[in-house]
Every structure is written in C-alpha cells, then in structure tokens.
Amino acid sequence: MIMAAVSRGFAALWRTNGVRVPLHPLLSLCAARTQSSVSGDLLPQTSLSSPPWSEQTSFVSAEEERSRHAAVVSTVNDRIERQDFGRLFAVVHFAARQWKVTNEDLILVENHIEAECGDRIYLEKVLLVGAEDFTLVGRPLLGKELVRVKATVIEKTESCPKIHMVFWKRHRFQKKKTIVQPQTVLRINSIELYPRLS
Amino acid sequence: MVFLTLSCWIRNRGPDRFWKVQELLKHARHFRGRKNRCYKLAVLAVRRAFVYATKSRKLKKRNMRTLWITRIAAATREHNMKYPILMHNLNKCSVQLNRRVISDIAITEPRTFLSLAKLARARQQEGFRAALGDGKEPPGVLSRVMLQ
C-alpha cells in the first residue's frame, strides 16, 4: 500500500486546526452483556485501578468520517502542490536500521556499502515523511513516486579497534580479539515530495 | 660452559619489554589508584575492564530498548492511551516503525506522534466495532441473543 491517507477512514493525516467532535457516552457496549453473578466490583477501586483519563469514545457516522477524510486529503494535496511546507523529515530504513533523517544530516553506518565516495544515492525505503503541519505514514512503506530521499557517500573508514575479551576465573581460559568494523558516512542532501497523492 | 668472550656471557633478553608493558598500561591510564601505574595490578584491572566492555555491548542493546519503551509509554499516556494499545494497533495497521524511531518522534515531533496515537485509537475502535458487530446473530442461527 502506498500511503495511509487512502484507506477507509482511519486517516493518518491530521490537520493541526481540526475540530474535535463533542464526546457522546457509548451505550451499546454494555447492553449486549448479560447480568453477571458478582454484584459488586471485581477489584477494589484504588487510585491506580483505572487510568486517570476517562474512557469515553465519540461516535462518528461513516459519512461524516468520509467527508472529514476527504477534507484532510484535499488540504494536504494543496500543500504538496504548492510545495508549501518547510523542512521535511523522513524515517528511512537503511542497512537494517531505521533512521530519522532531515536535510544536511550525517549518518554513520557500521558496515560496507557498495558505492564509492562521492556517489549520489536514493534511499528508497521510506516509512514516514513529516512536515510542520502534516505527516504521511506509510503502511509499511511510502511509494517511490511520492518521496525521494537523496544522499551522498562522504567517507568510508574503519571503526576504532574494539576489544572482545572472554575470561573465566579459575579455569585458565582467556581470549582476546580486536574487532575493526568498516564504516560509511552518508550525508542526506534533500528530501522531496512530489504531488501524486490520490 | 663455553663463554669464550664477554659478549657471549651476557644473556640477551627481549629488547621490547618496555613497549609491551606500555601497551597494556595505556589502557589503564584513566584508572584510579596504583592500578594505573603498576603492571601487576593493571593487568587484572584491564582484563576486567575488557570483559565488562564485551558483556556491556550486549546489555546496551537491551537497556536502550527498555528506555525507548518507557519513553513511548510516557508519551502515549499524555495522549490518554497506553503503550501496548499503541504498539498493537500500529502493528495491525502494518506501520513498521521501530521503538527507537517512535521514541525520537515522541521527543522531537510531537504532532506526528499525536497523529500516530490517533491512528492507533481509530484502529482500536474499528477492531471493537468489528468484534461486537450489530449485537445480532448471523442469519440462520438461533440463540439466546435472538430471544432477548
């Protein structure tokens, strides 16, 4: 799936000035249960037996949800068309790790990458992109035609020598090994959003 | 004994004991007490330090994960939700962000974290609605629910 905005009402896009619905008490959950034999509460009511917030949920009809969803999507689409956002951040999956990344960031990756120094790279597995007013959450990834993260390989070095030592007392067992890992430094040049939300 | 000249009489030990000792003492220079100067004490202290460093590299991963989980739990409780609800519902939405990144987002990008919390809450409500349904049985089934 390309992005969260499409699916069925649980919009991952949220406007900052969105209006909250006034909460209605939820009745139908309790009505379905039959009467239990225990008349009192099963647990004594202490200060920590229930969370300090109230467990009320608002009920919103399906049409209302769809209209709100469409409004949010159109707002975000406008913003992306006009390229109105400021600095973008992205969560990128790279080298078996997830990195939260913006422009001009340096990333130190603890392994060897098949690219020479100075090569420009696209980081393709983007999980989330955020700006000041909206976020795009991928499920699990965002499409390549939506976001593009450009990076450059700056440096390929080795790490400082780390010492791996094992010792068992009274057994005359001792091993010492020096581990040196290859490292790569990437600079994130830019994150770009293209207006192709549906 | 066949030492015919003085130069054959003198034993020639290894020439670089000084540097071998210094190689070990350099790892002990920041220790406290005589262990940073005296070789016999430094050997034991340096060995202990290396073994602790080796073991801690594994423990660090565990500790960092519990730290991230604590931070995410605290942030979700600010938004009237609990940590297991958030993670379970994000998994069900197939959002595969790991705990390190979610805790970073909770610290530096509060609005994005709010959006994730609301996403999880909406998914939870949808799960409840799917589980409870209409309060009616599927057609063709006779049970107490119909007789009520």
Side-chain angles (χ1 to χ4, degrees):
Chain A
M1 286 214 60
I2 290 186
M3 74 226 95
V6 182
S7 61
R8 276 186 269 134
F10 27 104
L13 316 176
W14 215 270
R15 283 179 299 173
T16 52
N17 47 358
V19 178
R20 294 219 83 150
V21 177
L23 303 174
H24 303 296
L26 194 63
L27 306 166
S28 57
L29 273 178
C30 305
R33 285 200 207 111
T34 56
Q35 287 196 356
S36 61
S37 56
V38 178
S39 54
D41 289 330
L42 295 168
L43 283 176
Q45 287 285 322
T46 57
S47 65
L48 290 180
S49 58
S50 62
W53 55 83
S54 60
E55 276 293 337
Q56 289 190 334
T57 45
S58 63
F59 177 71
V60 179
S61 68
E63 301 85 29
E64 173 73 25
E65 237 185 279
R66 255 179 267 129
S67 65
R68 270 195 225 160
H69 177 57
V72 168
V73 171
S74 64
T75 323
V76 175
N77 272 333
D78 289 335
R79 284 299 186 88
I80 297 177
E81 295 271 347
R82 288 177 277 147
Q83 300 279 316
D84 192 12
F85 36 84
R87 182 174 270 261
L88 281 177
F89 79 92
V91 172
V92 157
H93 184 282
F94 185 68
R97 263 149 273 164
Q98 296 180 9
W99 310 85
K100 180 190 156 301
V101 147
T102 31
N103 299 336
E104 306 152 14
D105 256 3
L106 282 175
I107 284 187
L108 180 71
V109 179
E110 285 269 346
N111 54 10
H112 177 66
I113 291 182
E114 298 291 333
E116 300 304 316
C117 290
D119 282 358
R120 301 196 59 116
I121 285 181
Y122 290 144
L123 302 178
E124 285 184 350
K125 294 185 193 167
V126 181
L127 295 154
L128 191 151
V129 169
E132 196 191 332
D133 284 331
F134 63 90
T135 325
L136 300 177
V137 180
R139 299 167 80 188
L141 292 178
L142 291 171
K144 285 190 250 181
E145 59 273 356
L146 183 59
V147 200
R148 192 167 275 188
V149 180
K150 294 183 190 160
T152 321
V153 180
I154 289 189
E155 193 185 334
K156 296 176 77 162
T157 50
E158 295 177 330
S159 71
C160 62
K162 296 186 187 169
I163 303 204
H164 178 92
M165 184 144 184
V166 188
F167 172 75
W168 289 348
K169 52 185 178 184
R170 298 183 295 271
H171 287 260
R172 302 194 190 186
F173 178 75
Q174 173 174 283
K175 278 198 223 173
K176 183 172 157 186
K177 187 167 139 181
T178 326
I179 301 179
V180 173
Q181 300 247 351
Q183 286 175 341
T184 319
V185 180
L186 295 180
R187 165 86 72 182
I188 308 293
N189 297 117
S190 66
I191 305 176
E192 281 153 18
L193 262 189
Y194 301 114
R196 286 239 6 236
L197 271 186
S198 58
Chain B
M1 296 227 301
V2 197
F3 303 109
L4 294 179
T5 55
L6 185 62
S7 55
C8 295
W9 188 283
I10 299 173
R11 277 190 316 163
N12 194 4
R13 311 289 296 281
D16 46 11
R17 183 191 305 158
F18 171 76
W19 289 282
K20 288 188 179 167
V21 160
Q22 290 304 305
E23 251 185 39
L24 189 114
L25 283 178
K26 82 177 181 223
H27 294 295
R29 286 304 181 198
H30 59 281
F31 291 172
R32 189 193 248 211
R34 273 195 259 184
K35 344 193 249 277
N36 59 26
R37 298 184 288 281
C38 308
Y39 182 77
K40 272 176 97 162
L41 308 175
V43 163
L44 309 173
V46 165
R47 180 201 290 160
R48 206 174 175 79
F50 284 162
V51 168
Y52 281 165
T54 316
K55 289 186 195 165
S56 320
R57 262 180 257 136
K58 294 192 177 178
L59 287 182
K60 179 176 173 183
K61 299 166 180 59
R62 298 179 211 172
N63 296 344
M64 291 303 284
R65 187 168 161 127
T66 47
L67 178 68
W68 298 328
I69 290 177
T70 314
R71 287 181 175 176
I72 298 173
T76 52
R77 278 165 191 262
E78 284 179 2
H79 294 306
N80 300 351
M81 225 163 65
K82 295 189 187 173
Y83 168 83
I85 309 285
L86 178 82
M87 300 311 287
H88 186 50
N89 291 112
L90 284 184
N91 260 332
K92 286 201 275 189
C93 296
S94 65
V95 171
Q96 285 168 16
L97 296 166
N98 63 6
R99 284 147 184 85
R100 166 173 116 166
V101 144
I102 298 181
S103 70
D104 287 343
I105 288 175
I107 293 169
T108 55
E109 321 275 344
R111 290 177 180 178
T112 307
F113 187 78
L114 177 64
S115 77
L116 288 175
K118 288 186 174 175
L119 174 68
R121 180 65 91 190
R123 180 68 182 82
Q124 185 194 32
Q125 296 301 318
E126 162 137 345
F128 288 160
R129 277 200 300 272
L132 293 169
D134 306 327
K136 298 191 194 76
E137 291 286 329
V141 177
L142 190 63
S143 77
R144 267 185 306 167
V145 178
M146 285 183 61
L147 298 174
Q148 270 182 357

